[in-house]
Amino acid sequence: MFLTILIAALAACGLFLIIWTLMDALSYPIPRKNTVFIVRLEGDASKVQQTISACFRLREHRGYGETLIFTDGGIDTEAQLAAELMLRNHPEAVLCAPNQAADFIR
């Protein structure tokens, strides 16, 4: 009896995850070319690294942002250095001041 309930619960969870995955895939827009993804960075170095990594994952797996522009929203020097090191090998990504973002879009 317990095994039957356990199998039914696992099957329900599996069905829920399949539906969730399909809805997730269908709800995102189709990526377009010439798109710019602007992200405001704030916090310490670890938070900045997590944000940049998440943006790179979105760009690689979802196609968001052909160009990534990260704006400095009050990060400290250690976080700025970490961001510059992460962006060093990515010419399509740049770190700038918020008022310079419009210059990089053109």
Side-chain angles (χ1 to χ4, degrees), residues 28-92:
Y28 284 107
I30 297 172
R32 295 188 173 96
K33 292 188 179 205
N34 299 327
T35 57
V36 178
F37 197 45
I38 300 175
V39 180
R40 183 173 185 240
L41 296 177
E42 54 187 16
D44 60 349
S46 64
K47 187 174 180 184
V48 167
Q49 289 175 343
Q50 287 176 341
T51 303
I52 292 174
S53 296
C55 290
F56 283 146
R57 267 184 263 123
L58 280 174
R59 183 177 186 273
E60 291 171 9
H61 297 293
R62 299 277 188 197
Y64 286 149
E66 190 173 287
T67 304
L68 299 172
I69 299 175
F70 297 99
T71 61
D72 186 347
I75 58 176
D76 57 1
T77 55
E78 182 181 347
Q80 188 174 11
L81 180 63
E84 288 174 2
L85 288 174
M86 289 184 75
L87 300 177
R88 181 187 312 167
N89 296 327
H90 298 279
E92 72 283 353

Side-chain angles (χ1 to χ4, degrees), residues 13-28 62:
C13 288
L15 184 62
F16 173 73
L17 288 174
I18 289 171
I19 291 172
W20 185 14
T21 302
L22 289 174
M23 293 303 293
D24 187 41
L26 293 175
S27 66
Y28 284 107
R62 299 277 188 197

